[in-house]
Amino acid sequence: DCDGVTDEEAVDATVWYYDADGDGFGDPASVAYACFSVPDDYVGDATDCDDADAAISPVGTEVCNGADDDCDGDVDEDSAADAATWYLDADADGYGDPGVTATACAQPAGYQASGDDCDDADAATSPATTESCDGADNDCDGAVDEAGATGETTWYADADGDGHGATSATLDACDLPV
């Protein structure tokens, strides 16, 4: 156009996008045009969704932080790198089933952080329950009717086998000890 400036506002100029955070992805709202060279701090990719944070870009790792770290339009999706494992609590006793899990940033309804329930179909069975003399592992510790269980009987040692125990040698247990 003979104005003394070469290639300004050329119709075939390449569009470049300002990359303020230096992550290789530019801001689609901040453009420059150039014909033969890339302007300083500009890139050809306009897919950065937060050009003020180098950790946020289309190749960013999604984490549970309330931001769209990978620029896919979703925030804190279940596949986030630091998403927690949650355990289904079908009996609503505050302890989840270690065999039924979900991964998510936020606690899903009906799930717990603890997967320590040994019987998620019975709200009376959980790590918070006191062991009872009933043939079941009420407190989920892996033992059945162990010492200290509610309902224990006091047993007396019968060293001479006469059917009568000594009051000086007792043992509290759910079942008759040997």
Side-chain angles (χ1 to χ4, degrees):
D1 62 7
C2 299
D3 64 359
V5 180
T6 305
D7 296 330
E8 87 284 2
E9 299 178 21
V11 293
D12 60 347
T14 302
V15 179
W16 301 98
Y17 305 92
Y18 186 63
D19 182 15
D21 58 12
D23 63 3
F25 299 91
D27 180 353
S30 182
V31 299
Y33 299 91
C35 289
F36 299 108
S37 63
V38 180
D40 289 341
D41 299 323
Y42 281 78
V43 294
D45 187 310
T47 57
D48 202 335
C49 58
D50 183 348
D51 204 35
D53 188 339
I56 298 176
S57 74
V59 295
T61 300
E62 187 69 33
V63 293
C64 300
N65 62 359
D68 181 12
D69 302 293
D70 57 6
C71 296
D72 66 356
D74 295 321
V75 174
D76 295 347
E77 54 259 43
D78 294 344
S79 61
D82 60 345
T85 299
W86 302 95
Y87 303 89
L88 179 63
D89 185 13
D91 60 9
D93 63 0
Y95 296 88
D97 182 343
V100 184
T101 64
T103 304
C105 289
Q107 183 175 1
Y111 283 76
Q112 298 294 329
S114 169
D116 296 336
D117 202 336
C118 59
D119 184 354
D120 203 38
D122 182 2
T125 301
S126 78
T129 302
T130 302
E131 187 69 27
S132 297
C133 292
D134 61 0
D137 181 13
N138 310 101
D139 59 5
C140 296
D141 67 355
V144 175
D145 296 345
E146 66 266 17
T150 300
E152 287 182 323
T153 300
T154 300
W155 302 95
Y156 301 91
D158 184 12
D160 61 5
D162 67 357
H164 299 281
T167 58
S168 61
T170 63
L171 178 68
D172 291 335
C174 291
D175 297 315
L176 175 65
V178 178

